[in-house]
């Protein structure tokens, strides 16, 4: 009934990596509410791949969202909103490129030559406080 398949060409899962998630129906919990547990076995990385998100909308229907996601994604990949929870498992994707950036005296090294950094000013609005100016290069 099953055909034998050669799996030797498939890359091996890195030792120690893996993930899991599971759910418990509300009839098996003391509160009567379902429980979602997600454990993607994420490693600590620099720079960090995951950033905490807490968002709220204050329309006629209040809405709050709390969880984590990669930068630039306006939703949580692991999180909850009080009525709905979500989690992911490890997907073994190439999701980052890390390189060493050499910066010295307002210049950066690129292909063996030093170039002057472009500078720009950005205003960071801070809740219940004065805005902060950030000089970015």
């Amino acid at each position: 009934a099953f055909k034998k398949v050669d799996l030797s060409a498939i890359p091996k899962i890195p030792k120690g990596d893996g993930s899991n998630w599971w759910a418990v129906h509300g009839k098996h919990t003391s509160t009567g509410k379902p429980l979602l547990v997600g454990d993607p076995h994420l490693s600590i990385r620099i720079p960090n791949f995951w950033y905490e998100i807490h968002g709220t909308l204050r329309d006629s229907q209040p809405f709050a969202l709390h969880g984590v996601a990669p930068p630039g994604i306006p939703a949580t990949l692991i999180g909850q909103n009080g009525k709905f929870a979500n989690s992911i498992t490890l997907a073994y994707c190439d999701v980052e490129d890390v390189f060493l950036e050499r910066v010295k005296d307002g210049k950066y090294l690129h292909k063996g030559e030093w170039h002057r950094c472009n500078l720009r000013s950005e205003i960071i609005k801070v809740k219940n406080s004065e805005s902060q100016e950030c000089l970015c290069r």
Side-chain angles (χ1 to χ4, degrees):
F2 295 101
K3 181 179 176 184
K4 186 174 181 177
V5 177
D6 179 13
L7 300 177
S8 63
I10 297 174
K12 301 271 190 257
I13 294 174
K15 187 176 182 178
D17 286 349
S19 62
N20 54 68
W21 61 270
W22 45 273
V24 177
H25 192 282
K27 69 181 179 182
H28 299 294
T29 66
S30 62
T31 63
K33 295 182 178 182
L35 175 69
L36 174 69
V37 176
D39 185 6
H41 298 209
L42 302 171
S43 60
I44 296 173
R45 297 174 181 221
I46 297 175
N48 192 1
F49 180 72
W50 296 98
Y51 289 87
E52 190 172 9
I53 296 171
H54 181 213
T56 57
L57 296 174
R58 292 189 186 112
D59 286 341
S60 58
Q61 299 273 325
F63 177 81
L65 180 69
H66 189 224
V68 295
I73 296 182
T76 60
L77 295 185
I78 303 171
Q80 58 86 21
N81 69 9
K83 297 181 186 258
F84 172 86
N86 58 302
S87 186
I88 63 167
T89 56
L90 191 57
Y92 299 106
C93 297
D94 180 9
V95 296
E96 65 188 4
D97 293 310
V98 179
F99 63 95
L100 178 61
E101 184 177 47
R102 298 186 190 276
V103 179
K104 182 179 177 182
D105 300 326
K107 295 180 179 181
Y108 64 94
L109 184 63
H110 179 68
K111 295 185 178 179
E113 294 184 28
W114 289 95
H115 302 271
R116 183 149 311 278
C117 296
N118 293 329
L119 297 176
R120 72 178 187 280
S121 175
E122 293 195 11
I123 303 299
I124 310 295
K125 294 182 180 181
V126 181
K127 185 177 182 178
N128 299 326
S129 186
E130 292 183 26
S131 296
Q132 301 291 313
E133 182 180 13
C134 178
L135 189 59
C136 304
R137 58 175 165 214

